[in-house]
Structure formats: C-alpha cells, structure tokens
Amino acid sequence: MSPTGWLITGAIVALVVGLPYWLPRAVIALRVRIFAWVGGEEGIRAPGREVPAEEFKKVYGHPAANGRSRGAALSDLFWYWLSPGPEVHQEHLEPGPRYDDVARTTRQILAGLSREQWTELVGRCTRRVLDELPADTRVHRVRLRDLMMPVWAEVYYEVVFRAPCPRSVRDLITGNANDVVSALKCTSLRHMDRRARLTAHLRDRLAHDPPPVPLPSSLSQREQAYYLQGTFFNTAVVQMSEAMAHLLLALATHRPVQDRLSSGEADPDFLDGVINETLQHFPLFGVAHRITSGDIARDGRKPIPAGSVLLFNYPEYQGSGSDPFDPERWLNPDTRPSAFIPFGVTANRPCPARGFAVLTMRIAAEETLRRFRLESSAEHTRSLPSRGPCLLVPRTGATDWTPARRRTRLAVMGLADRWEGVGRSLVQLVLGSYMVWDARRQGLCRNYFAASSGGSAPSVAAGR
C-alpha cells in the first residue's frame, strides 16, 4: 500500500475509533440548531445580548413575562410531546382564572401531607421498589431512571388518591411517563396508546372513586383526567425520576462524596449540599419560554415589547458544569452560588414541588445508599439520554466484587456507554427531526387557540 493509502486508512480508522467521542456531541449541537430554528429569529435569549445574566431573574419574574403557550412556535412542539391534554397542563395554561384554579388545586393536593407523612411515604415506596431487586449478593446493573420511576409513580398516586398504588396502575403510570420523557429526549417516538390507557384509567377512577381533594370545577371530567395525567403522572413523575437519576449517578461517579455519606460522619446537611450541587450541574429545566403580555421596562435599556418570546436558559444562567463538583460549598452561605434557580423563579410559575423536592430526594437517596454502593463509569450529561447506567453493589453479604473485577466491569460499562451513544445520537437526530416536522404539521397549540378565538391564532416567524 502506498504512503497515501496508509494515511487514508489511518484517518478512517481514527475517525471510526473516535466516533463515540465526537459524534454524539456533534449531533447534540445539530439538534440545538434545529430547535433554535423552530424557536425562530424573534426569540430573545436570556442570558444573552439583549437580556444579560444580571437581568435574568428580574425579567423572568416580571408580571408581564406571564404568557405560556399562545404565540410561541415552540408551544406546538411541547404540546405535541405532552399530549394528551396539553391545553390543561398546568405548565402550559395561559394566566387567568383557569390557571389559578388549577394551580390552587395542585398546591392543595401537595399540601395535604405533612413533612413526616412525606418522609414515611417516600421511604416506604423506595423500600418496596428496591425489595423487588433479586435478594442475593449479586451486583445489579440498572438504569437509574428506570429504577426510580416506579418509586415516584407510587408516591404521586398515593399523594393524589390517598390510597396505595396497585401494581397494574403503577405500570400504567411508568409506561406513560417513560413514553413522555423518551419522546422529549428524542430517543423514541410517541406511543399514544400507552398514554391513552392511563387516561382511560383516570377517567374511570374519577367517575367511581374521585380523590379527596376536589378537582378544578372549571374543567370537565375528561379535562380533570388530563390535568392529573399531565401535572402529576407526566411532569412530577418524570422530573423526580430524572432528579434522582442525576443524584445517584453523581454519587456513583464521585466516590469520595459517596464514601463520606456512607461513613455516617458527614455533616447532617451534607446530603442536601450534594442534592443542590447536582441540581446546579444538571438542572432539570433546559430552556423555558415565556410570551410577554405587556412591555417590560428596564433601566438604561430598551423595553422588551409585548408579544416577545423570551427563552430562559437554565444551564447557561447557572453556569452548569463549569466548576468542579463540590457539595461542600453549600454548607457556607458565603460560597453558595447566587445563580441558582432549580425550581424556577418564585414570581413566575415556580415548580409546585419546590418546598419538599429536596426532602423527598434525600429520603430516597438514604434508602438506596443504605442498601447499595453505587458504581458507574457512564458519561453524566444533563439530558441523561442513557437513563443512567449504574452498578448496585450490596452492602451486606459477600460478593465476588474484587478490585480487579470492579475495574473490569466499570471499564466495560464505560466503553459500552460510549458506543451506545453513537447509535442513540443518530436515532435522536432522525426522530427529533421527524417530531419537529410532525409537531409543526399538527399545530396543536396554534390550532387550539385559533379555534377558541374563532379566528387565526397569533403566529411567529418559525411557525408560519
């Protein structure tokens, strides 16, 4: 073979061998460009040139930054992902009496449990799900999001209905939630039949045995089922499962932090610091969009006009991943990051679970760490498309977990995770592009507001 041939062959081999390291990142960058294209040129990025980081919270919390769906091209995409019933999903209802009614009901349902009851409930559900793992000394290979999703399915079913969750219903909830989050991450197309089965169960339950907290009277029974499905069995189950997967994977990939917690010698607040540090590095929200209902005046800058689409970028604002993973800094008020909004801004649709999310994450983590040591060599990214591969090593009983076997298992896991990312990133690109097209074609949000107003709904450049 000629020298040129050897060079070409070497370049091809290097390109193929390096696929797991450059292709997923390249695809992510391309997907970001696709979603930016959907958002259109009119989207105002925060932080960005027009809304710098120092104005992020002020603009986000302004009373006029209160529109949620109507008038944003991105809404068609999110309504598509969150179907059925996105028109009554608490995150996407427009401000007004209907939103107030729904938000008030959500607060009442969540406030029905005391701190002690939340602790007992989450601990009990976590133990029940962990009990389903084989009761032996084997090392279990799991996907952390899959492990945690049944926990939160049981928790929120009991929170809503004040009754234990039957296994068959838990399967309906996890099937629905997994389908929603897989579509959001573009790792799978939507399966509306799975979602419809949960809707049918909820409608039947509401007809024969409704929850103790009265549901919004402004909603029909069908809409009430959609409200419960979207708020509790889509968003709550998905977000808490993602949060726990991030937390446990962070512990698995930071052994000194995990060892400090397991030793029993850590500061009582240290685990809360680990949770906050995890939410700082891996925020659950990516970009939240709001549509301004009026001008937003600013000192020394042009006002943001009514009808603007504001794109609030949580990871960029928090500087996610730019610093070392250091839970210790949360124990000192002087070293805590100021750019930290894991549950949104209080003045503008904050997460309803903000008051007890850290508490419940702490309880679930303590139950898991009591039984297992966590080990992982998987890449930890904010989107977590891999669902968090992890090895659970039992803390009691003898295992064959020798140092050499540990290194081998972790090396194999890391390599497998890298190569899985190659195929998955291509799937995400293809399915994501298709769903962007299909969402624009269906125009769920645009058509809904057009029909409700009896005319043409407001549109933005990318939605035309």
Side-chain angles (χ1 to χ4, degrees):
M1 184 181 293
S2 67
T4 302
W6 281 112
L7 286 174
I8 294 174
T9 301
I12 293 174
V13 170
L15 188 68
V16 172
V17 171
L19 275 175
Y21 298 92
W22 65 265
L23 183 60
R25 289 179 172 82
V27 171
I28 288 173
L30 183 56
R31 289 178 61 223
V32 169
R33 292 177 65 87
I34 291 172
F35 293 134
W37 168 69
V38 174
E41 293 298 325
E42 82 296 333
I44 298 175
R45 289 161 176 76
R49 181 174 55 83
E50 296 182 63
V51 182
E54 58 269 21
E55 290 189 359
F56 187 97
K57 288 184 179 179
K58 182 178 179 180
V59 173
Y60 201 167
H62 194 281
N66 60 349
R68 190 57 185 100
S69 289
R70 186 172 187 165
L74 279 171
S75 297
D76 278 336
L77 186 56
F78 281 101
W79 280 42
Y80 177 87
W81 278 329
L82 294 175
S83 293
E87 68 275 9
V88 294
H89 194 296
Q90 183 168 330
E91 289 186 3
H92 289 272
L93 276 169
E94 294 301 304
R98 208 179 198 203
Y99 170 77
D100 294 339
D101 196 13
V102 165
R104 180 170 53 252
T105 301
T106 301
R107 290 193 299 270
Q108 290 172 344
I109 292 173
L110 296 176
L113 273 67
S114 66
R115 188 179 183 89
E116 291 73 22
Q117 288 173 316
W118 274 108
T119 299
E120 188 278 332
L121 173 61
V122 174
R124 170 164 46 86
C125 292
T126 305
R127 289 191 295 273
R128 180 159 49 240
V129 170
L130 294 179
D131 284 343
E132 295 172 6
L133 292 170
D136 54 30
T137 59
R138 286 180 297 174
V139 175
H140 307 293
R141 192 179 192 279
V142 300
R143 304 278 178 167
L144 291 170
R145 194 184 80 201
D146 298 346
L147 178 69
M148 289 289 108
M149 195 168 278
V151 173
W152 301 105
E154 290 195 8
V155 165
Y156 281 103
Y157 183 90
E158 193 160 336
V159 167
V160 170
F161 292 107
R162 300 295 192 267
C165 181
R167 177 60 183 268
S168 60
V169 180
R170 189 184 87 178
D171 292 343
L172 288 177
I173 295 171
T174 55
N176 170 83
N178 187 63
D179 192 69
V180 170
V181 70
S182 296
L184 281 164
K185 296 179 187 298
C186 304
T187 57
S188 173
L189 291 173
R190 303 181 309 164
H191 297 85
M192 298 307 295
D193 55 332
R194 297 179 191 171
R195 306 186 190 191
R197 286 194 287 271
L198 177 58
T199 306
H201 167 79
L202 291 172
R203 293 191 68 177
D204 182 69
R205 176 71 194 249
L206 292 178
H208 298 96
D209 190 13
V213 175
L215 299 184
S217 58
S218 58
L219 305 182
S220 66
Q221 189 178 90
R222 176 180 61 85
E223 290 174 328
Q224 289 176 350
Y226 286 154
Y227 154 66
L228 291 179
Q229 185 165 350
T231 300
F232 292 96
F233 305 127
N234 282 4
T235 298
V237 171
V238 165
Q239 294 287 52
M240 291 305 298
S241 302
E242 287 273 298
M244 282 305 305
H246 279 300
L247 173 60
L248 297 178
L249 190 57
L251 291 171
T253 53
H254 295 84
R255 279 292 301 277
V257 174
Q258 183 182 169
D259 290 344
R260 180 173 171 180
L261 287 170
S262 302
S263 69
E265 300 176 359
D267 185 293
D269 297 324
F270 185 64
L271 181 50
D272 286 358
V274 177
I275 294 171
N276 286 333
E277 186 72 353
T278 300
L279 294 173
Q280 174 77 18
H281 279 257
F282 310 103
L284 297 177
F285 303 112
V287 177
H289 68 276
R290 297 289 185 269
I291 303 94
T292 57
S293 58
D295 292 352
I296 298 180
R298 298 181 293 167
D299 295 335
R301 292 181 180 274
K302 291 182 179 180
I304 298 173
S308 298
V309 179
L310 293 165
L311 305 174
F312 295 101
N313 190 317
Y314 280 67
E316 187 172 340
Y317 174 66
Q318 292 190 171
S320 301
S322 58
D323 298 319
F325 192 86
D326 181 19
E328 190 75 33
R329 58 180 172 163
W330 297 92
L331 303 182
N332 185 344
D334 296 331
T335 58
R336 293 176 184 173
S338 58
F340 182 60
I341 50 168
F343 307 109
V345 177
T346 303
N348 191 340
R349 294 175 179 256
C351 175
R354 65 191 183 282
F356 54 84
V358 172
L359 165 68
T360 53
M361 290 175 67
R362 184 198 316 140
I363 299 304
E366 289 173 342
E367 291 290 346
T368 306
L369 288 174
R370 192 173 292 120
R371 299 191 186 200
F372 300 105
R373 188 171 75 249
L374 310 175
E375 300 275 0
S376 182
S377 55
E379 185 179 19
H380 193 173
T381 62
R382 193 198 70 81
S383 62
L384 205 68
S386 64
R387 313 194 313 279
C390 186
L391 300 175
L392 304 182
V393 185
R395 291 191 179 277
T396 58
T399 70
D400 59 355
W401 194 248
T402 63
R405 186 174 179 81
R406 171 182 177 271
R407 289 192 296 270
T408 301
R409 289 286 296 272
L410 290 176
V412 170
M413 171 184 278
L415 185 62
D417 179 63
R418 288 284 186 180
W419 278 102
E420 283 175 12
V422 173
R424 183 175 58 243
S425 62
L426 294 175
V427 168
Q428 287 179 293
L429 180 60
V430 173
L431 298 187
S433 300
Y434 169 78
M435 287 189 282
V436 166
W437 170 82
D438 197 29
R440 293 185 65 182
R441 179 183 65 85
Q442 293 192 29
L444 297 176
C445 180
R446 182 177 66 253
N447 293 334
Y448 173 82
F449 284 108
S452 64
S453 63
S456 298
S459 63
V460 291
R464 293 189 181 120

